[in-house]
Structure formats: C-alpha cells, structure tokens
Amino acid sequence: MKKLFVLLLVLAVVLGASSVSFAQGRKFGATYMTMNNPFFGVMDQAIRAAVEANGDTLITLDPALDQVKQISQIEDMIAQGIEVLFLNPVDWQGVAPALLACREAGVPIVNVDAPVYDEDFVTCIVASDNLSAGLICGEDMLKRLPKGGKAVILGHPTTKTGIDRIANFKKVVADHSDLFTIAAEDSSEGQLEIAMPKMENIIQAVPDMAVVMCVNDPTALGTIQALRAANALQGVLVYGVDGSPDAKKMIKDGMMTGTAAQSPINIGKIGVQMAYKILAGEKVDKHVPVPVQLITGENVDEFGVDGWQ
C-alpha cells in the first residue's frame, strides 16, 4: 500500500496535480437569489445529488436577496477554484460584475431558473417556461370570471422570471380590457413576509378585488394569509407559480385557485447535465426550457401534496 501511495505521488508530480483525476474531483459553485424559498432548496438538493454522484463537490452560498453580497460570494467561489457556476441572480441586471468576473476567470455559467439580462455571458439557461406560466393563469381566470373584475398583481420586477410571468398575465387582462382592469400592483420580492403587509394595504385600497396574480407560491401564501385575516378571501381567485407542496395543500383545501407548477428537481438535474457537457467540450443549447403545468382543484390529486414535481 505504501509503495502504491509513493507511486501515485510521483505520478502526480510528473504529470501535474491538475492532470490526475484521482487527486481531487471537480468543484462547482451555486448561488440562488435566496435560500429562504423552498423552491431553491429543492433545486440545490437536486444539483448537489447529481454532482456528488460523480464524486465532485458543490459549494452553495446564500446572498439572501443582496446583489452586492452575491457578487462578492461569486468572486470568492472563483478564488476557490470552481469550474462551473450554477447561477440564479438576485437582480438580473445588477449581477453583471459577477458575470464579467466569471468570464475573465474562464468559469462557464449555467443560468438556472432566473435568466440574466446579458445572456452573452452565460453558456446555458435552464429555466421554466415563465411566459407560459403567466398565460395559463390568465386563461384559467377567464374561465372562472366570465363577467370580469379587478385584478391585483404582486410581482418581482428585478428578476426576468417575475417580469415574464406578470407580462403574459397582463397581456390576458389587456386583451380583455372590457372585462378586467389592474386595480393595484406592487412587488413582493417573491417573499411571503413581504407579500403579507403589501396585501394588507391593497385590501384597504381595493376591497372589491376579484383576482390576485402572484409571482410565486410564497407570495400567494402571504396573500392568502392577509386575505383570511381580513375575512376577504371568499370569492377572490389567487394564483401562484411554483407548484410547491404548501400551495398544493392550499389548493386542495379550496383556499388557493391555482399554481403554474415548475419542477425545481428537473431544472437542477438538467442544469448538471449541461454543466458536464460544457466541461467535456460539447456544444449545448443556449436556452433549455422546462415546461410548466397549471395545478388547480380539478387535478391537484394527480400531483400529490407531499412533494415537488
């Protein structure tokens, strides 16, 4: 055994440590806008499982919705020698300095879930079809509210995902402006604890709202809590995006209308597949869309309420 160790050590010196795969596995980095959202926790678990199954390492850092902090963390991961970065930006435009740092260091970026503004800096974007998410919520609204009504929007305008989801919902409203109006709009930053007080204020301003379009499920859950506390939930449609277990339970209990279900598990798995192809020198598509599907009370049992898709 001792002779084998010495032989391997000599070989490492001759060939260079970086050339000997048994000396150290690959190192990957991951950063999401916040880990205070179970969606990103599930995605990270999927990425970590796939990376570690290959004997490699994943470093995950949480910027907690602070873009300056995320840039600093990415720079730290570059210094630690990551070979690929899985990136979900806090601010799709504000993340630009980190994109430049990765390019200068030769670190390819697999952009997961939320795209960056300047796509030239990333090698691959694996994300849900967010335009479809807003559209299918809007189309369901039309079926349930044939007489129209006042719509409220709680979005997240510093992320491309939030912009796309809300844009297509707004398009449905605009296409039926004889029936629907947008009576109030604000940002929840995708956070339950921010959505609640925002919705409390909106309830006072728009007591006769008919529908609330939420940028994600945590926002929808915060919205529902505020509406319930004000005894104002009955008769109000509430839509989210994610397909989280908590949202599916709310749908099953009749408190939430629907959620455009994503699959953080598949986004994570596909992201890792793209990363290894990039490292192998293979060409990958710039955009890899992951389909979404509307979950409502009519089909929630098909998905179950105990886990993610």
Side-chain angles (χ1 to χ4, degrees):
M1 182 64 71
K2 185 176 180 180
K3 289 182 179 179
L4 177 61
F5 175 78
V6 172
L7 179 61
L8 292 176
L9 183 62
V10 171
L11 183 61
V13 172
V14 173
L15 297 179
S18 62
S19 301
V20 185
S21 60
F22 56 78
Q24 183 178 355
R26 295 184 182 277
K27 190 179 293 184
F28 297 81
T31 173
Y32 316 93
M33 62 181 75
T34 176
M35 294 303 286
N36 186 30
N37 182 334
F39 180 89
F40 296 122
V42 172
M43 185 188 302
D44 187 67
Q45 290 171 10
I47 291 174
R48 182 174 302 279
V51 165
E52 292 181 350
N54 285 300
D56 297 326
T57 302
L58 179 70
I59 302 169
T60 300
L61 298 177
D62 179 11
L65 292 174
D66 184 333
Q67 186 57 77
V68 174
K69 185 176 181 180
Q70 187 176 51
I71 292 169
S72 176
Q73 289 176 339
I74 291 171
E75 291 171 345
D76 287 344
M77 287 190 283
I78 292 171
Q80 292 182 58
I82 62 169
E83 296 185 51
V84 176
L85 175 68
F86 298 103
L87 171 65
N88 176 274
V90 173
D91 184 318
W92 75 313
Q93 292 180 306
V95 74
L99 305 183
L100 181 59
C102 284
R103 172 172 287 183
E104 291 176 345
V107 175
I109 298 172
V110 176
N111 200 177
V112 290
D113 177 62
V116 300
Y117 179 77
D118 193 342
E119 296 181 359
D120 289 342
F121 281 87
V122 301
T123 305
C124 181
I125 303 168
V126 182
S128 298
D129 186 347
N130 287 291
L131 286 169
S132 176
L135 179 63
I136 59 179
C137 290
E139 290 176 339
D140 189 75
M141 173 190 70
L142 294 179
K143 297 175 184 177
R144 297 179 190 273
L145 293 175
K147 294 182 179 180
K150 294 180 180 178
V152 169
I153 291 173
L154 282 178
H156 192 180
T158 60
T159 65
K160 185 64 164 60
T161 52
I163 291 169
D164 285 350
R165 293 170 189 174
I166 298 306
N168 256 9
F169 182 84
K170 282 184 174 180
K171 185 177 186 304
V172 173
V173 172
D175 289 344
H176 298 83
S177 58
D178 56 324
L179 297 173
F180 293 93
T181 58
I182 296 175
E185 182 174 1
D186 209 333
S187 173
S188 69
E189 297 184 31
Q191 301 296 296
L192 184 154
E193 61 271 18
I194 296 175
M196 279 187 66
K198 293 291 182 72
M199 181 50 59
E200 289 169 356
N201 292 333
I202 291 173
I203 290 169
Q204 300 301 315
V206 192
D208 56 343
M209 71 183 78
V211 57
V212 185
M213 177 62 201
C214 302
V215 71
N216 63 1
D217 284 350
T219 297
L221 298 178
T223 292
I224 290 169
Q225 289 186 28
L227 288 168
R228 290 183 70 191
N231 293 316
L233 179 59
Q234 187 171 358
V236 178
L237 306 184
V238 179
Y239 293 97
V241 179
D242 278 341
S244 68
D246 287 341
K248 289 185 286 188
K249 289 173 186 174
M250 285 285 189
I251 291 171
K252 189 169 179 63
D253 291 341
M255 288 184 281
M256 184 170 169
T257 311
T259 178
Q262 307 186 82
S263 177
I265 296 172
N266 286 333
I267 292 174
K269 288 180 177 179
I270 295 170
V272 173
Q273 291 171 7
M274 297 301 106
Y276 280 108
K277 286 183 177 181
I278 292 166
L279 290 174
E282 298 179 31
K283 183 175 177 57
V284 298
D285 292 336
K286 173 72 93 174
H287 292 272
V288 182
V290 181
V292 297
Q293 184 173 354
L294 187 66
I295 299 177
T296 65
E298 288 78 16
N299 66 355
V300 66
D301 288 335
E302 298 174 20
F303 293 86
V305 298
D306 295 326
W308 288 81
Q309 298 68 239

